[in-house]
């Protein structure tokens, strides 16, 4: 009876997994060992048999149903179409740029506040063309006039 | 995107369909799915032995292959590439369920050399006289009687052609365990096929 190591060596020999030196040793010992020859033949034939008659199977649902589930997942995880994403990418830069531009316009057009001293001790500050601030120091009142 | 008539897809080679699919052509990809779906499903079924899971993982494999399509360089056939994806999914699942690494009593006996000695050596022609379809069915039946751990090494070695080292890496076991499981699985298969032959002759 062979040891487990010897059996596994014979299997590795059949599978072409033995190092060269060990392979030569096994090959040299085979002609005198009928049990080993039987095992080697049996393992080879079993492998040939199961590979030749590999079990097959058919998807148990229709092609349309099978594909529709795959397509749904693909579409759910897929990034936007290239044209759409390119447009979005451009907008992503455009929107903040427009914001910055708007601020720049406001700053550049903002007029230096002008103060007008009224006879009653109040000040009128003109901050731009559409708003006027009236502050009365004596009454402690500030009025914002937006035109 | 290539300009193509839908009717052209079935007559195109995999390589062409893959190129189109890599450019975002889902119809080309659908054709690839249609062409290889049974093979991918069959591999998942062989690994999991459960129709619902096989269906789920085979579909998941197609989704993953679409997502990774740009990585496919054509080093193997497209079908082989997708098969590897479905096998990895099944292995992940089997590992999660502890179905491939758990050491059962049977596995311990096997690794100590106990059970393998009680099984017959593979017979020269254990299935002589069986029709091809019958033979295929019986082999499937015999594979189904192996434990997940044993069947997995057989699938990876015999059908996927992986070396011991690669199988060990994929499953997360030692090369010695791969060899031992493979040896036991083969002897058990031989035994089961011989039993089926005996049943038939009775």
């Amino acid at each position: 009876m062979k040891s487990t190591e010897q059996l596994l060596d014979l299997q590795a020999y059949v599978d072409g997994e033995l190092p060269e030196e060990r392979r030569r040793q096994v090959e040299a010992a085979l002609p005198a060992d009928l049990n080993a020859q039987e095992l080697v033949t049996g393992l080879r034939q079993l492998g040939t048999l199961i590979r030749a008659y590999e079990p097959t199977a058919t998807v148990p649902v229709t092609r349309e149903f099978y594909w529709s589930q795959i397509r749904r997942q693909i579409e759910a995880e897929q990034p936007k179409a290239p044209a759409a994403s390119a447009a979005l990418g451009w907008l992503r830069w455009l929107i903040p740029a427009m914001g910055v531009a708007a601020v720049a316009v406001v700053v550049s057009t903002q007029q230096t506040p002008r103060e007008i001293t009224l006879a009653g001790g109040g000040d009128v500050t003109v901050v731009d063309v559409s708003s006027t601030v009236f502050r009365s120091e004596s009454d402690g009142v500030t009025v914002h006039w937006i035109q | 995107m290539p300009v193509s008539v839908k009717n052209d897809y079935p007559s195109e080679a995999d390589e062409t369909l893959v190129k189109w699919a890599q450019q975002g052509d889902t119809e080309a990809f659908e054709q690839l799915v249609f062409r290889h779906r049974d093979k991918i499903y069959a591999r998942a079924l062989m690994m999991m032995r459960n129709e619902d899971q096989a269906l789920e993982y085979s579909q998941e494999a197609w989704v993953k292959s679409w997502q990774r399509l740009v990585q496919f360089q054509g080093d193997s056939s497209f079908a082989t590439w997708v098969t590897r994806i479905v096998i990895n999914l099944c292995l992940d699942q089997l590992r999660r369920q502890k179905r491939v690494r758990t050491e059962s009593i049977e596995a311990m006996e096997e690794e100590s050399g106990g059970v393998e000695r009680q099984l017959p050596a593979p017979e020269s022609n254990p299935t002589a006289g069986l029709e091809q379809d019958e033979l295929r069915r019986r082999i499937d039946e015999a594979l189904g009687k192996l434990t997940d751990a044993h069947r997995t090494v057989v699938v990876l070695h015999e059908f996927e052609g992986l070396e011991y080292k690669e199988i060990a890496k994929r499953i997360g076991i030692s090369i010695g365990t791969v060899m031992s499981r493979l040896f036991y699985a083969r002897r058990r298969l031989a035994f089961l096929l011989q039993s089926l032959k005996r049943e038939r002759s009775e």
Side-chain angles (χ1 to χ4, degrees), chain B residues 31-151:
Chain B
Q31 181 61 39
L32 288 165
V33 172
F34 175 62
R35 211 171 270 183
H36 301 294
R37 68 194 167 132
D38 286 341
K39 180 180 167 57
I40 302 305
Y41 169 75
R43 181 61 81 245
L45 186 60
M46 196 185 282
M47 299 276 290
M48 305 306 295
R49 309 303 294 184
N50 175 299
E51 282 193 3
D52 290 340
Q53 288 182 337
L55 195 62
E56 183 187 341
Y57 300 138
S58 69
Q59 287 175 310
E60 199 176 327
W62 285 113
V63 173
K64 284 203 183 303
S65 67
W66 169 262
Q67 291 165 340
R68 299 173 188 170
L69 209 49
V70 286
Q71 296 168 22
F72 177 70
Q73 301 295 317
D75 299 331
S76 63
S77 75
F78 177 72
T80 301
W81 185 68
V82 184
T83 305
R84 293 284 158 89
I85 293 176
V86 80
I87 283 176
N88 286 341
L89 284 170
C90 292
L91 279 176
D92 283 348
Q93 194 56 32
L94 291 170
R95 262 194 296 264
R96 220 167 285 144
Q97 296 172 2
K98 299 187 182 352
R99 282 165 62 179
V100 284
R101 295 188 66 177
T102 309
E103 303 297 328
S104 61
I105 292 170
E106 188 182 66
M108 287 189 294
E109 281 179 339
E110 161 211 334
E111 275 150 33
S112 65
V115 173
E116 69 195 20
R117 290 166 186 281
Q118 296 163 24
L119 296 175
E123 202 179 89
S124 291
N125 199 353
T127 52
L130 293 181
E131 294 297 322
Q132 290 195 2
D133 285 349
E134 175 70 0
L135 190 50
R136 214 179 283 278
R137 197 179 62 76
R138 299 240 168 160
I139 288 172
D140 187 45
E141 246 178 71
L143 282 167
K145 287 182 177 167
L146 297 180
T147 64
D148 293 311
H150 291 117
R151 190 175 52 259

